[in-house]
Amino acid sequence: MKRRNFLVALGATFVAGCDAISDSKIFGSLVETAGNWHRGIHRALGVGRITMAPEFTRADISPFFRGNGSLEVDSDAYRASAANGFADWRLSITGLVDNELSLSMDEIRALPQRTQITRHDCVEGWSAIGEWTGPQLSSILEMAGVQEGARFAVFRCADNLNGADYYESCDMDDAFHPQTVVAHQLNGEALPVLNGAPLRLRLERQLGYKHAKYLTGVELVASLDDIEGGRGGYWEDRAGYQWYAGI
Ligand SMILES: Nc1nc2c(c(=O)[nH]1)N[C@H]1C(S)=C(S)[C@@H](COP(=O)(O)O)O[C@H]1N2
Ligand SMILES: [Mo]
């Protein structure tokens, strides 16, 4: 893909920050990776065009953002970490990256932040609107340096649900989408335990089960075949939920 088309595909938010890094090694590796990104039905519907999930105003925020699925992580280590304000929590970035990272909460809070008010739609039939704050996943992946051949981001979680670790995944288009955020705040407060403290993914163009809570790691891979059940997510492996859960 030509560099200009690549910029158009990424949209204005990313372009604004692009000049500074356009000659960097990181940018070069992103451009090479871009050739692999255009696959899948959602792309066929809107070639090269970035679509944004609707955003709302503070007046639209739901009075209570309910929890669903795991409502905490059932381990002494998690409870100890929570009691300590998650000061020891780390987010690892591994797999097909130039530099594996292990980020502290302070490092995550020190990155440029995005705040967005979006509607969460659960496949079970409820919705809630909340204001999420955190760094864009794209800025974290740029720091790590995406290697050629990376096609999916796998999201690792601390909770175990009915005997298996929760996990999710998305393609590189969604990983670099401007509204894909590693959130540490809900409605201006530290993320509640119920909603995935201290870190949860926001993947705004897709259904609720894609928004991994209790996030511990992001792993870039070439294929999902060898990850857990091979279908890209906890519910995809068990209940036949769609991997691309576009809203
Ligand atoms: N780690 C983890 N992430 C998860 C889940 C879970 O059980 N564990 N449930 C998913 C589902 S089905 C939904 S609808 C949302 C619920 O987010 P909430 O608890 O903030 O409402 O989280 C998603 N992410
Ligand atoms: Mo859900």
Side-chain angles (χ1 to χ4, degrees):
M1 188 193 271
K2 292 259 164 48
R3 177 175 289 199
R4 183 171 297 122
N5 294 339
F6 174 68
L7 291 176
V8 169
L10 280 179
T13 306
F14 191 86
V15 171
C18 254
D19 286 344
I21 60 158
S22 60
D23 293 326
S24 75
K25 186 171 152 244
I26 289 169
F27 191 85
S29 69
L30 285 178
V31 171
E32 280 155 34
T33 310
N36 297 325
W37 289 2
H38 286 262
R39 58 185 70 240
I41 282 169
H42 60 292
R43 237 92 68 214
L45 296 174
V47 179
R49 206 160 33 81
I50 198 160
T51 55
M52 299 288 278
E55 294 193 19
F56 299 83
T57 69
R58 289 226 161 105
D60 301 314
I61 292 175
S62 305
F64 174 65
F65 202 108
R66 59 166 284 184
N68 201 41
S70 294
L71 303 180
E72 63 153 350
V73 179
D74 188 15
S75 76
D76 291 341
Y78 180 82
R79 280 183 284 269
S81 183
N84 197 21
F86 297 106
D88 60 345
W89 196 270
R90 313 290 294 196
L91 179 70
S92 69
I93 313 297
T94 58
L96 297 173
V97 292
D98 293 334
N99 312 294
E100 297 203 331
L101 303 176
S102 170
L103 301 174
S104 69
M105 292 300 294
D106 281 345
E107 286 168 332
I108 285 168
R109 284 187 288 253
L111 288 168
Q113 304 287 301
R114 179 178 164 91
T115 292
Q116 57 197 25
I117 302 175
T118 53
R119 194 187 61 227
H120 178 102
D121 295 318
C122 174
V123 73
E124 293 166 24
W126 58 272
S127 298
I129 292 176
E131 181 186 70
W132 305 98
T133 300
Q136 291 171 313
L137 179 59
S138 62
S139 52
I140 295 175
L141 295 180
E142 279 159 22
M143 275 198 304
V146 176
Q147 289 186 352
E148 216 175 313
R151 284 186 48 211
F152 304 99
V154 177
F155 304 101
R156 301 292 189 176
C157 304
D159 60 316
N160 188 280
L161 197 57
N162 301 316
D165 292 344
Y166 200 92
Y167 82 103
E168 258 303 337
S169 64
C170 71
D171 64 15
M172 298 307 282
D173 273 356
D174 261 325
F176 276 84
H177 187 275
Q179 290 170 315
T180 300
V181 164
V182 175
H184 56 82
Q185 283 187 0
L186 171 59
N187 300 334
E189 309 277 349
L191 192 61
V193 165
L194 186 73
N195 304 108
L199 294 174
R200 74 97 51 85
L201 183 73
R202 295 301 307 168
L203 194 70
E204 302 293 357
R205 297 184 299 182
Q206 298 198 46
L207 289 171
Y209 59 86
K210 303 294 294 185
H211 301 231
K213 304 197 286 186
Y214 314 110
L215 193 63
T216 57
V218 181
E219 189 184 340
L220 297 192
V221 297
S223 162
L224 296 172
D225 293 349
D226 298 328
I227 310 288
E228 306 299 331
R231 297 197 173 145
Y234 179 92
W235 288 114
E236 290 88 327
D237 285 342
R238 275 161 194 79
Y241 284 16
Q242 292 297 309
W243 174 74
Y244 188 81
I247 295 174

